[in-house]
Amino acid sequence: MNSNRQTRTGLYGSALAPDDQRRAFRDGAVPVAVYGLGKMGLPLAAVYADVTGNVVGVDIDADVVQTVNDGGCHVAKEPGLPELVAEQVECGAFRATTDSVAAARSAAVHVVIVPTPLTEDREPDLAAFEAVLDSIADGLALGDTVIVECTVPPGTSADLVVPYLESKSGVSRDEFGVAFCPERTSSGRALRDITASHPKVVGGVDSESTRVAALLYGEITSNEVIPVCDATTAEAVKLFEGVYRDVNIALANELARVRDDLGIDVTAAIEAANTQPYCNIHAPGPGVGGHCIPWYPYFITSRVETETPLLHTARAVNDSMPTFTADTLRDELAATGRDIADSTVAVLGVTYRPGVAETRATPAAGVIDRLCDLGATVVAADPMLDADSIASFGATPVSLSALAERELDAVVVVTPHEEFDDIDWAAFDDLVVIDGRGTLGDIGHRVYQIGGGPRGTTPDTVGSEQVPQATETDGGPRR
């Protein structure tokens, strides 16, 4: 056991009464270290600081650490977060460091929320996670509790974290706790989600770990805390949430792909179907992006021997949507007598989600690649990204202010940032537009909405066909 520790109160196996443990937690006698200060980790650390008054945040990025210690916030468009970080730093409840070992030696609760991406072989990459475990092991002591919030394959807490920490720390297995609490937070509403929006699910590798995790999160959230039977079950909860959405979106996308054969507005049919309480079909679109939904199926499939054809099929359908989107534009241009190979196309939105500067697994990448393969000249605009980031996807960056100066033949709206609401569509002549998310109204051009079909067009561009405008959506379930 490491003896170079500051005096603090560990809760695992504590002889204190539960009320006294809660009081110690809220009074700062139970120091907390949060490992990872990204877009989910910083809000979590700030909330812990607000509750306990004694949090150190750990990040490998020295600029992030300096920003936090200066009372700043590097996470954009997160309501209330800049103010909360500044407040907690100013009152001494929150500080940041790159020294993960020192942080571990000072903490009694260790909260891990670092990225767990996929390798090129679609295997979960736990390198960053294991690096954090090395630091925690160096400072682990009797009574500590380790809580994993980042998404990991089922069995990670029991099969990796516990033996890893025991072997490297010298602390006996029955002297520290390990629990999993799935992060259930969305960008743009992180503080609300952490503290109130959703029940907190907790599961430990033993009953005492579950008890401690439930006690801690009972102080963090005003919502319900749901203890499950073990950590592996809690790990599966997060994955099942993501897989449900992936399969559901794949269903919506497959229905959208048969829209032209059926001759109906699929999005309108989905909206009407969802008025039945047992139906909750999500919205179709140009693909599924981010570091969550596209990756979670592989966290499961990489750990099981049983075949999972539905998970693989859903991934294949959703992965095919960027190509479907570009090919639909090709066909729409051909219907007006234009060749996509001679066309200049603007892609609007390169991030995977509106208002979030995140491009991992963004559908825009596949759309741009396919348009380039078809011979189109591709420009792209995104208010969340700089020119170099946009150019890295193979498109020529263009600002929104300069968009009207380009001689465009077509536009593909992949990610509907609110800044696109100000586009003067009348400044363009005879555009063909693919509306990826159903967010455009009547813009005076030929528009094809994925799932909705042609709409909002004038008679001289589509003959006598007049299709009602589809209901706008934010990309979630249609109701």
Side-chain angles (χ1 to χ4, degrees), residues 416-453:
H417 295 293
E418 62 181 14
E419 288 84 353
F420 298 155
D421 295 343
D422 297 328
I423 292 176
D424 180 11
W425 294 100
F428 301 96
D429 295 327
D430 196 20
L431 284 179
V432 173
V433 180
I434 302 297
D435 183 1
R437 302 289 183 183
T439 56
L440 297 179
D442 182 0
I443 60 173
H445 295 281
R446 181 186 180 103
V447 176
Y448 184 101
Q449 178 191 340
I450 293 178

PDB file of all heavy atoms in Angstrom, residues 416-453:
ATOM      1  N   PRO A 416     -27.288  20.380 -39.719  1.00  0.00           N
ATOM      2  CA  PRO A 416     -27.976  21.676 -39.769  1.00  0.00           C
ATOM      3  C   PRO A 416     -27.646  22.600 -38.591  1.00  0.00           C
ATOM      4  O   PRO A 416     -28.454  22.796 -37.675  1.00  0.00           O
ATOM      5  CB  PRO A 416     -29.454  21.274 -39.754  1.00  0.00           C
ATOM      6  CG  PRO A 416     -29.485  19.995 -38.980  1.00  0.00           C
ATOM      7  CD  PRO A 416     -28.190  19.286 -39.312  1.00  0.00           C
ATOM      8  N   HIS A 417     -26.452  23.190 -38.618  1.00  0.00           N
ATOM      9  CA  HIS A 417     -26.117  24.192 -37.605  1.00  0.00           C
ATOM     10  C   HIS A 417     -27.106  25.349 -37.681  1.00  0.00           C
ATOM     11  O   HIS A 417     -27.584  25.706 -38.760  1.00  0.00           O
ATOM     12  CB  HIS A 417     -24.698  24.715 -37.831  1.00  0.00           C
ATOM     13  CG  HIS A 417     -23.630  23.686 -37.649  1.00  0.00           C
ATOM     14  ND1 HIS A 417     -23.342  23.116 -36.428  1.00  0.00           N
ATOM     15  CD2 HIS A 417     -22.770  23.113 -38.538  1.00  0.00           C
ATOM     16  CE1 HIS A 417     -22.337  22.256 -36.566  1.00  0.00           C
ATOM     17  NE2 HIS A 417     -21.986  22.240 -37.838  1.00  0.00           N
ATOM     18  N   GLU A 418     -27.390  25.961 -36.551  1.00  0.00           N
ATOM     19  CA  GLU A 418     -28.370  27.047 -36.531  1.00  0.00           C
ATOM     20  C   GLU A 418     -27.917  28.231 -37.378  1.00  0.00           C
ATOM     21  O   GLU A 418     -28.740  29.007 -37.874  1.00  0.00           O
ATOM     22  CB  GLU A 418     -28.628  27.503 -35.099  1.00  0.00           C
ATOM     23  CG  GLU A 418     -27.419  28.058 -34.375  1.00  0.00           C
ATOM     24  CD  GLU A 418     -27.726  28.477 -32.948  1.00  0.00           C
ATOM     25  OE1 GLU A 418     -28.800  28.090 -32.434  1.00  0.00           O
ATOM     26  OE2 GLU A 418     -26.903  29.197 -32.346  1.00  0.00           O
ATOM     27  N   GLU A 419     -26.607  28.379 -37.582  1.00  0.00           N
ATOM     28  CA  GLU A 419     -26.103  29.471 -38.411  1.00  0.00           C
ATOM     29  C   GLU A 419     -26.588  29.372 -39.854  1.00  0.00           C
ATOM     30  O   GLU A 419     -26.653  30.380 -40.573  1.00  0.00           O
ATOM     31  CB  GLU A 419     -24.570  29.485 -38.389  1.00  0.00           C
ATOM     32  CG  GLU A 419     -23.962  29.946 -37.073  1.00  0.00           C
ATOM     33  CD  GLU A 419     -23.840  28.852 -36.044  1.00  0.00           C
ATOM     34  OE1 GLU A 419     -24.339  27.729 -36.274  1.00  0.00           O
ATOM     35  OE2 GLU A 419     -23.228  29.098 -34.973  1.00  0.00           O
ATOM     36  N   PHE A 420     -26.943  28.152 -40.296  1.00  0.00           N
ATOM     37  CA  PHE A 420     -27.426  27.985 -41.665  1.00  0.00           C
ATOM     38  C   PHE A 420     -28.821  28.579 -41.859  1.00  0.00           C
ATOM     39  O   PHE A 420     -29.267  28.752 -42.997  1.00  0.00           O
ATOM     40  CB  PHE A 420     -27.432  26.505 -42.051  1.00  0.00           C
ATOM     41  CG  PHE A 420     -26.067  25.860 -42.046  1.00  0.00           C
ATOM     42  CD1 PHE A 420     -25.926  24.487 -41.870  1.00  0.00           C
ATOM     43  CD2 PHE A 420     -24.911  26.618 -42.207  1.00  0.00           C
ATOM     44  CE1 PHE A 420     -24.672  23.887 -41.858  1.00  0.00           C
ATOM     45  CE2 PHE A 420     -23.650  26.032 -42.191  1.00  0.00           C
ATOM     46  CZ  PHE A 420     -23.540  24.671 -42.020  1.00  0.00           C
ATOM     47  N   ASP A 421     -29.498  28.885 -40.764  1.00  0.00           N
ATOM     48  CA  ASP A 421     -30.830  29.492 -40.881  1.00  0.00           C
ATOM     49  C   ASP A 421     -30.778  30.855 -41.558  1.00  0.00           C
ATOM     50  O   ASP A 421     -31.784  31.333 -42.087  1.00  0.00           O
ATOM     51  CB  ASP A 421     -31.474  29.639 -39.497  1.00  0.00           C
ATOM     52  CG  ASP A 421     -31.766  28.306 -38.831  1.00  0.00           C
ATOM     53  OD1 ASP A 421     -31.780  27.286 -39.540  1.00  0.00           O
ATOM     54  OD2 ASP A 421     -31.970  28.284 -37.595  1.00  0.00           O
ATOM     55  N   ASP A 422     -29.614  31.490 -41.535  1.00  0.00           N
ATOM     56  CA  ASP A 422     -29.478  32.827 -42.090  1.00  0.00           C
ATOM     57  C   ASP A 422     -29.041  32.832 -43.558  1.00  0.00           C
ATOM     58  O   ASP A 422     -28.814  33.907 -44.129  1.00  0.00           O
ATOM     59  CB  ASP A 422     -28.469  33.640 -41.265  1.00  0.00           C
ATOM     60  CG  ASP A 422     -28.937  33.846 -39.826  1.00  0.00           C
ATOM     61  OD1 ASP A 422     -30.155  33.946 -39.615  1.00  0.00           O
ATOM     62  OD2 ASP A 422     -28.074  33.891 -38.926  1.00  0.00           O
ATOM     63  N   ILE A 423     -28.908  31.676 -44.167  1.00  0.00           N
ATOM     64  CA  ILE A 423     -28.503  31.627 -45.570  1.00  0.00           C
ATOM     65  C   ILE A 423     -29.576  32.251 -46.445  1.00  0.00           C
ATOM     66  O   ILE A 423     -30.766  31.953 -46.308  1.00  0.00           O
ATOM     67  CB  ILE A 423     -28.239  30.169 -46.009  1.00  0.00           C
ATOM     68  CG1 ILE A 423     -26.991  29.622 -45.312  1.00  0.00           C
ATOM     69  CG2 ILE A 423     -28.072  30.080 -47.531  1.00  0.00           C
ATOM     70  CD1 ILE A 423     -26.707  28.157 -45.608  1.00  0.00           C
ATOM     71  N   ASP A 424     -29.153  33.126 -47.351  1.00  0.00           N
ATOM     72  CA  ASP A 424     -30.069  33.755 -48.309  1.00  0.00           C
ATOM     73  C   ASP A 424     -30.152  32.872 -49.548  1.00  0.00           C
ATOM     74  O   ASP A 424     -29.361  33.007 -50.485  1.00  0.00           O
ATOM     75  CB  ASP A 424     -29.565  35.155 -48.665  1.00  0.00           C
ATOM     76  CG  ASP A 424     -30.478  35.866 -49.655  1.00  0.00           C
ATOM     77  OD1 ASP A 424     -31.604  35.356 -49.895  1.00  0.00           O
ATOM     78  OD2 ASP A 424     -30.075  36.914 -50.193  1.00  0.00           O
ATOM     79  N   TRP A 425     -31.098  31.953 -49.539  1.00  0.00           N
ATOM     80  CA  TRP A 425     -31.207  30.998 -50.630  1.00  0.00           C
ATOM     81  C   TRP A 425     -31.571  31.671 -51.951  1.00  0.00           C
ATOM     82  O   TRP A 425     -31.270  31.148 -53.029  1.00  0.00           O
ATOM     83  CB  TRP A 425     -32.233  29.925 -50.288  1.00  0.00           C
ATOM     84  CG  TRP A 425     -31.802  29.055 -49.145  1.00  0.00           C
ATOM     85  CD1 TRP A 425     -32.198  29.145 -47.850  1.00  0.00           C
ATOM     86  CD2 TRP A 425     -30.866  27.967 -49.205  1.00  0.00           C
ATOM     87  NE1 TRP A 425     -31.573  28.181 -47.081  1.00  0.00           N
ATOM     88  CE2 TRP A 425     -30.750  27.438 -47.887  1.00  0.00           C
ATOM     89  CE3 TRP A 425     -30.118  27.386 -50.229  1.00  0.00           C
ATOM     90  CZ2 TRP A 425     -29.922  26.378 -47.580  1.00  0.00           C
ATOM     91  CZ3 TRP A 425     -29.287  26.324 -49.919  1.00  0.00           C
ATOM     92  CH2 TRP A 425     -29.190  25.817 -48.610  1.00  0.00           C
ATOM     93  N   ALA A 426     -32.191  32.841 -51.877  1.00  0.00           N
ATOM     94  CA  ALA A 426     -32.562  33.555 -53.103  1.00  0.00           C
ATOM     95  C   ALA A 426     -31.339  34.073 -53.850  1.00  0.00           C
ATOM     96  O   ALA A 426     -31.440  34.437 -55.037  1.00  0.00           O
ATOM     97  CB  ALA A 426     -33.497  34.709 -52.757  1.00  0.00           C
ATOM     98  N   ALA A 427     -30.189  34.102 -53.188  1.00  0.00           N
ATOM     99  CA  ALA A 427     -28.970  34.576 -53.837  1.00  0.00           C
ATOM    100  C   ALA A 427     -28.397  33.550 -54.807  1.00  0.00           C
ATOM    101  O   ALA A 427     -27.474  33.867 -55.573  1.00  0.00           O
ATOM    102  CB  ALA A 427     -27.921  34.934 -52.783  1.00  0.00           C
ATOM    103  N   PHE A 428     -28.927  32.357 -54.806  1.00  0.00           N
ATOM    104  CA  PHE A 428     -28.424  31.288 -55.681  1.00  0.00           C
ATOM    105  C   PHE A 428     -29.408  31.042 -56.819  1.00  0.00           C
ATOM    106  O   PHE A 428     -30.628  31.196 -56.660  1.00  0.00           O
ATOM    107  CB  PHE A 428     -28.222  29.992 -54.894  1.00  0.00           C
ATOM    108  CG  PHE A 428     -27.264  30.130 -53.739  1.00  0.00           C
ATOM    109  CD1 PHE A 428     -27.734  30.377 -52.454  1.00  0.00           C
ATOM    110  CD2 PHE A 428     -25.899  30.018 -53.936  1.00  0.00           C
ATOM    111  CE1 PHE A 428     -26.857  30.512 -51.388  1.00  0.00           C
ATOM    112  CE2 PHE A 428     -25.026  30.144 -52.872  1.00  0.00           C
ATOM    113  CZ  PHE A 428     -25.501  30.392 -51.598  1.00  0.00           C
ATOM    114  N   ASP A 429     -28.887  30.619 -57.946  1.00  0.00           N
ATOM    115  CA  ASP A 429     -29.715  30.328 -59.113  1.00  0.00           C
ATOM    116  C   ASP A 429     -29.847  28.823 -59.321  1.00  0.00           C
ATOM    117  O   ASP A 429     -28.842  28.115 -59.437  1.00  0.00           O
ATOM    118  CB  ASP A 429     -29.110  30.947 -60.384  1.00  0.00           C
ATOM    119  CG  ASP A 429     -29.102  32.462 -60.342  1.00  0.00           C
ATOM    120  OD1 ASP A 429     -30.038  33.022 -59.748  1.00  0.00           O
ATOM    121  OD2 ASP A 429     -28.154  33.060 -60.882  1.00  0.00           O
ATOM    122  N   ASP A 430     -31.084  28.349 -59.326  1.00  0.00           N
ATOM    123  CA  ASP A 430     -31.387  26.982 -59.785  1.00  0.00           C
ATOM    124  C   ASP A 430     -30.548  25.910 -59.087  1.00  0.00           C
ATOM    125  O   ASP A 430     -29.857  25.122 -59.730  1.00  0.00           O
ATOM    126  CB  ASP A 430     -31.182  26.900 -61.302  1.00  0.00           C
ATOM    127  CG  ASP A 430     -31.841  25.660 -61.906  1.00  0.00           C
ATOM    128  OD1 ASP A 430     -32.744  25.096 -61.259  1.00  0.00           O
ATOM    129  OD2 ASP A 430     -31.438  25.256 -63.017  1.00  0.00           O
ATOM    130  N   LEU A 431     -30.624  25.892 -57.762  1.00  0.00           N
ATOM    131  CA  LEU A 431     -29.903  24.880 -57.001  1.00  0.00           C
ATOM    132  C   LEU A 431     -30.684  23.572 -56.939  1.00  0.00           C
ATOM    133  O   LEU A 431     -31.914  23.557 -56.964  1.00  0.00           O
ATOM    134  CB  LEU A 431     -29.675  25.345 -55.560  1.00  0.00           C
ATOM    135  CG  LEU A 431     -28.601  26.386 -55.261  1.00  0.00           C
ATOM    136  CD1 LEU A 431     -28.594  26.677 -53.770  1.00  0.00           C
ATOM    137  CD2 LEU A 431     -27.230  25.902 -55.713  1.00  0.00           C
ATOM    138  N   VAL A 432     -29.948  22.473 -56.785  1.00  0.00           N
ATOM    139  CA  VAL A 432     -30.513  21.196 -56.362  1.00  0.00           C
ATOM    140  C   VAL A 432     -29.993  20.956 -54.941  1.00  0.00           C
ATOM    141  O   VAL A 432     -28.781  21.014 -54.705  1.00  0.00           O
ATOM    142  CB  VAL A 432     -30.096  20.046 -57.294  1.00  0.00           C
ATOM    143  CG1 VAL A 432     -30.556  18.704 -56.721  1.00  0.00           C
ATOM    144  CG2 VAL A 432     -30.670  20.258 -58.682  1.00  0.00           C
ATOM    145  N   VAL A 433     -30.896  20.722 -53.998  1.00  0.00           N
ATOM    146  CA  VAL A 433     -30.523  20.635 -52.592  1.00  0.00           C
ATOM    147  C   VAL A 433     -30.961  19.302 -52.005  1.00  0.00           C
ATOM    148  O   VAL A 433     -32.108  18.879 -52.197  1.00  0.00           O
ATOM    149  CB  VAL A 433     -31.171  21.793 -51.783  1.00  0.00           C
ATOM    150  CG1 VAL A 433     -30.774  21.693 -50.307  1.00  0.00           C
ATOM    151  CG2 VAL A 433     -30.772  23.143 -52.363  1.00  0.00           C
ATOM    152  N   ILE A 434     -30.044  18.658 -51.299  1.00  0.00           N
ATOM    153  CA  ILE A 434     -30.385  17.475 -50.514  1.00  0.00           C
ATOM    154  C   ILE A 434     -30.485  17.905 -49.063  1.00  0.00           C
ATOM    155  O   ILE A 434     -29.523  18.408 -48.475  1.00  0.00           O
ATOM    156  CB  ILE A 434     -29.326  16.363 -50.649  1.00  0.00           C
ATOM    157  CG1 ILE A 434     -29.154  15.962 -52.110  1.00  0.00           C
ATOM    158  CG2 ILE A 434     -29.723  15.146 -49.795  1.00  0.00           C
ATOM    159  CD1 ILE A 434     -30.385  15.368 -52.749  1.00  0.00           C
ATOM    160  N   ASP A 435     -31.675  17.752 -48.487  1.00  0.00           N
ATOM    161  CA  ASP A 435     -31.933  18.113 -47.093  1.00  0.00           C
ATOM    162  C   ASP A 435     -31.767  16.859 -46.239  1.00  0.00           C
ATOM    163  O   ASP A 435     -32.656  16.025 -46.159  1.00  0.00           O
ATOM    164  CB  ASP A 435     -33.349  18.672 -46.981  1.00  0.00           C
ATOM    165  CG  ASP A 435     -33.690  19.148 -45.578  1.00  0.00           C
ATOM    166  OD1 ASP A 435     -32.820  19.062 -44.703  1.00  0.00           O
ATOM    167  OD2 ASP A 435     -34.832  19.595 -45.370  1.00  0.00           O
ATOM    168  N   GLY A 436     -30.606  16.737 -45.604  1.00  0.00           N
ATOM    169  CA  GLY A 436     -30.284  15.511 -44.894  1.00  0.00           C
ATOM    170  C   GLY A 436     -31.082  15.279 -43.637  1.00  0.00           C
ATOM    171  O   GLY A 436     -31.282  14.128 -43.229  1.00  0.00           O
ATOM    172  N   ARG A 437     -31.558  16.334 -42.995  1.00  0.00           N
ATOM    173  CA  ARG A 437     -32.210  16.193 -41.687  1.00  0.00           C
ATOM    174  C   ARG A 437     -33.617  16.764 -41.633  1.00  0.00           C
ATOM    175  O   ARG A 437     -34.210  16.839 -40.568  1.00  0.00           O
ATOM    176  CB  ARG A 437     -31.357  16.891 -40.618  1.00  0.00           C
ATOM    177  CG  ARG A 437     -29.933  16.379 -40.518  1.00  0.00           C
ATOM    178  CD  ARG A 437     -29.869  14.988 -39.931  1.00  0.00           C
ATOM    179  NE  ARG A 437     -28.489  14.534 -39.774  1.00  0.00           N
ATOM    180  CZ  ARG A 437     -28.144  13.342 -39.332  1.00  0.00           C
ATOM    181  NH1 ARG A 437     -29.080  12.471 -38.999  1.00  0.00           N
ATOM    182  NH2 ARG A 437     -26.878  13.004 -39.227  1.00  0.00           N
ATOM    183  N   GLY A 438     -34.160  17.177 -42.769  1.00  0.00           N
ATOM    184  CA  GLY A 438     -35.525  17.691 -42.769  1.00  0.00           C
ATOM    185  C   GLY A 438     -35.668  19.007 -42.049  1.00  0.00           C
ATOM    186  O   GLY A 438     -36.673  19.227 -41.380  1.00  0.00           O
ATOM    187  N   THR A 439     -34.678  19.898 -42.185  1.00  0.00           N
ATOM    188  CA  THR A 439     -34.712  21.168 -41.468  1.00  0.00           C
ATOM    189  C   THR A 439     -34.953  22.366 -42.373  1.00  0.00           C
ATOM    190  O   THR A 439     -35.028  23.496 -41.888  1.00  0.00           O
ATOM    191  CB  THR A 439     -33.389  21.387 -40.717  1.00  0.00           C
ATOM    192  OG1 THR A 439     -32.305  21.314 -41.642  1.00  0.00           O
ATOM    193  CG2 THR A 439     -33.210  20.341 -39.630  1.00  0.00           C
ATOM    194  N   LEU A 440     -35.056  22.148 -43.678  1.00  0.00           N
ATOM    195  CA  LEU A 440     -35.270  23.256 -44.599  1.00  0.00           C
ATOM    196  C   LEU A 440     -36.751  23.444 -44.874  1.00  0.00           C
ATOM    197  O   LEU A 440     -37.491  22.476 -45.039  1.00  0.00           O
ATOM    198  CB  LEU A 440     -34.544  23.009 -45.923  1.00  0.00           C
ATOM    199  CG  LEU A 440     -33.021  22.913 -45.871  1.00  0.00           C
ATOM    200  CD1 LEU A 440     -32.476  22.638 -47.261  1.00  0.00           C
ATOM    201  CD2 LEU A 440     -32.409  24.184 -45.293  1.00  0.00           C
ATOM    202  N   GLY A 441     -37.162  24.669 -44.942  1.00  0.00           N
ATOM    203  CA  GLY A 441     -38.526  24.965 -45.369  1.00  0.00           C
ATOM    204  C   GLY A 441     -38.561  25.135 -46.876  1.00  0.00           C
ATOM    205  O   GLY A 441     -37.773  24.534 -47.611  1.00  0.00           O
ATOM    206  N   ASP A 442     -39.481  25.942 -47.361  1.00  0.00           N
ATOM    207  CA  ASP A 442     -39.574  26.234 -48.794  1.00  0.00           C
ATOM    208  C   ASP A 442     -38.510  27.272 -49.117  1.00  0.00           C
ATOM    209  O   ASP A 442     -38.648  28.454 -48.789  1.00  0.00           O
ATOM    210  CB  ASP A 442     -40.974  26.758 -49.133  1.00  0.00           C
ATOM    211  CG  ASP A 442     -41.130  27.024 -50.629  1.00  0.00           C
ATOM    212  OD1 ASP A 442     -40.155  26.795 -51.383  1.00  0.00           O
ATOM    213  OD2 ASP A 442     -42.218  27.472 -51.033  1.00  0.00           O
ATOM    214  N   ILE A 443     -37.434  26.867 -49.762  1.00  0.00           N
ATOM    215  CA  ILE A 443     -36.327  27.781 -50.045  1.00  0.00           C
ATOM    216  C   ILE A 443     -36.283  28.201 -51.512  1.00  0.00           C
ATOM    217  O   ILE A 443     -35.347  28.859 -51.946  1.00  0.00           O
ATOM    218  CB  ILE A 443     -34.975  27.156 -49.636  1.00  0.00           C
ATOM    219  CG1 ILE A 443     -34.719  25.860 -50.415  1.00  0.00           C
ATOM    220  CG2 ILE A 443     -34.936  26.915 -48.137  1.00  0.00           C
ATOM    221  CD1 ILE A 443     -33.323  25.287 -50.193  1.00  0.00           C
ATOM    222  N   GLY A 444     -37.304  27.817 -52.293  1.00  0.00           N
ATOM    223  CA  GLY A 444     -37.376  28.247 -53.680  1.00  0.00           C
ATOM    224  C   GLY A 444     -36.476  27.487 -54.621  1.00  0.00           C
ATOM    225  O   GLY A 444     -36.196  27.963 -55.735  1.00  0.00           O
ATOM    226  N   HIS A 445     -35.989  26.335 -54.211  1.00  0.00           N
ATOM    227  CA  HIS A 445     -35.143  25.505 -55.058  1.00  0.00           C
ATOM    228  C   HIS A 445     -35.642  24.067 -55.023  1.00  0.00           C
ATOM    229  O   HIS A 445     -36.464  23.698 -54.183  1.00  0.00           O
ATOM    230  CB  HIS A 445     -33.688  25.556 -54.572  1.00  0.00           C
ATOM    231  CG  HIS A 445     -33.047  26.907 -54.694  1.00  0.00           C
ATOM    232  ND1 HIS A 445     -32.551  27.390 -55.881  1.00  0.00           N
ATOM    233  CD2 HIS A 445     -32.845  27.886 -53.758  1.00  0.00           C
ATOM    234  CE1 HIS A 445     -32.043  28.607 -55.673  1.00  0.00           C
ATOM    235  NE2 HIS A 445     -32.221  28.923 -54.398  1.00  0.00           N
ATOM    236  N   ARG A 446     -35.123  23.288 -55.938  1.00  0.00           N
ATOM    237  CA  ARG A 446     -35.456  21.864 -55.974  1.00  0.00           C
ATOM    238  C   ARG A 446     -34.816  21.194 -54.754  1.00  0.00           C
ATOM    239  O   ARG A 446     -33.589  21.167 -54.608  1.00  0.00           O
ATOM    240  CB  ARG A 446     -34.941  21.223 -57.257  1.00  0.00           C
ATOM    241  CG  ARG A 446     -35.261  19.736 -57.388  1.00  0.00           C
ATOM    242  CD  ARG A 446     -34.578  19.136 -58.617  1.00  0.00           C
ATOM    243  NE  ARG A 446     -34.896  17.718 -58.731  1.00  0.00           N
ATOM    244  CZ  ARG A 446     -35.782  17.224 -59.596  1.00  0.00           C
ATOM    245  NH1 ARG A 446     -36.433  18.039 -60.412  1.00  0.00           N
ATOM    246  NH2 ARG A 446     -36.009  15.920 -59.650  1.00  0.00           N
ATOM    247  N   VAL A 447     -35.629  20.650 -53.876  1.00  0.00           N
ATOM    248  CA  VAL A 447     -35.147  20.053 -52.629  1.00  0.00           C
ATOM    249  C   VAL A 447     -35.598  18.600 -52.551  1.00  0.00           C
ATOM    250  O   VAL A 447     -36.773  18.291 -52.808  1.00  0.00           O
ATOM    251  CB  VAL A 447     -35.665  20.819 -51.395  1.00  0.00           C
ATOM    252  CG1 VAL A 447     -35.231  20.125 -50.101  1.00  0.00           C
ATOM    253  CG2 VAL A 447     -35.170  22.255 -51.402  1.00  0.00           C
ATOM    254  N   TYR A 448     -34.664  17.739 -52.180  1.00  0.00           N
ATOM    255  CA  TYR A 448     -34.994  16.337 -51.883  1.00  0.00           C
ATOM    256  C   TYR A 448     -34.622  16.095 -50.434  1.00  0.00           C
ATOM    257  O   TYR A 448     -33.445  16.202 -50.049  1.00  0.00           O
ATOM    258  CB  TYR A 448     -34.225  15.384 -52.793  1.00  0.00           C
ATOM    259  CG  TYR A 448     -34.600  13.919 -52.596  1.00  0.00           C
ATOM    260  CD1 TYR A 448     -35.464  13.282 -53.477  1.00  0.00           C
ATOM    261  CD2 TYR A 448     -34.087  13.183 -51.527  1.00  0.00           C
ATOM    262  CE1 TYR A 448     -35.811  11.945 -53.306  1.00  0.00           C
ATOM    263  CE2 TYR A 448     -34.436  11.861 -51.332  1.00  0.00           C
ATOM    264  CZ  TYR A 448     -35.297  11.243 -52.227  1.00  0.00           C
ATOM    265  OH  TYR A 448     -35.652   9.923 -52.040  1.00  0.00           O
ATOM    266  N   GLN A 449     -35.627  15.767 -49.621  1.00  0.00           N
ATOM    267  CA  GLN A 449     -35.371  15.436 -48.220  1.00  0.00           C
ATOM    268  C   GLN A 449     -35.217  13.934 -48.078  1.00  0.00           C
ATOM    269  O   GLN A 449     -36.052  13.167 -48.571  1.00  0.00           O
ATOM    270  CB  GLN A 449     -36.513  15.907 -47.326  1.00  0.00           C
ATOM    271  CG  GLN A 449     -36.303  15.548 -45.858  1.00  0.00           C
ATOM    272  CD  GLN A 449     -37.544  15.785 -45.023  1.00  0.00           C
ATOM    273  OE1 GLN A 449     -38.423  16.540 -45.412  1.00  0.00           O
ATOM    274  NE2 GLN A 449     -37.607  15.126 -43.880  1.00  0.00           N
ATOM    275  N   ILE A 450     -34.152  13.513 -47.378  1.00  0.00           N
ATOM    276  CA  ILE A 450     -33.968  12.081 -47.152  1.00  0.00           C
ATOM    277  C   ILE A 450     -35.152  11.553 -46.341  1.00  0.00           C
ATOM    278  O   ILE A 450     -35.418  12.028 -45.235  1.00  0.00           O
ATOM    279  CB  ILE A 450     -32.635  11.809 -46.427  1.00  0.00           C
ATOM    280  CG1 ILE A 450     -31.469  12.173 -47.342  1.00  0.00           C
ATOM    281  CG2 ILE A 450     -32.534  10.348 -45.991  1.00  0.00           C
ATOM    282  CD1 ILE A 450     -30.112  11.994 -46.710  1.00  0.00           C
ATOM    283  N   GLY A 451     -35.845  10.621 -46.909  1.00  0.00           N
ATOM    284  CA  GLY A 451     -37.042  10.068 -46.280  1.00  0.00           C
ATOM    285  C   GLY A 451     -38.307  10.771 -46.701  1.00  0.00           C
ATOM    286  O   GLY A 451     -39.381  10.172 -46.729  1.00  0.00           O
ATOM    287  N   GLY A 452     -38.214  12.060 -47.024  1.00  0.00           N
ATOM    288  CA  GLY A 452     -39.395  12.833 -47.414  1.00  0.00           C
ATOM    289  C   GLY A 452     -39.580  12.928 -48.903  1.00  0.00           C
ATOM    290  O   GLY A 452     -40.702  13.066 -49.397  1.00  0.00           O
ATOM    291  N   GLY A 453     -38.475  12.880 -49.636  1.00  0.00           N
ATOM    292  CA  GLY A 453     -38.553  12.987 -51.082  1.00  0.00           C
ATOM    293  C   GLY A 453     -38.557  14.424 -51.547  1.00  0.00           C
ATOM    294  O   GLY A 453     -38.247  15.349 -50.792  1.00  0.00           O
TER     295      GLY A 453
END
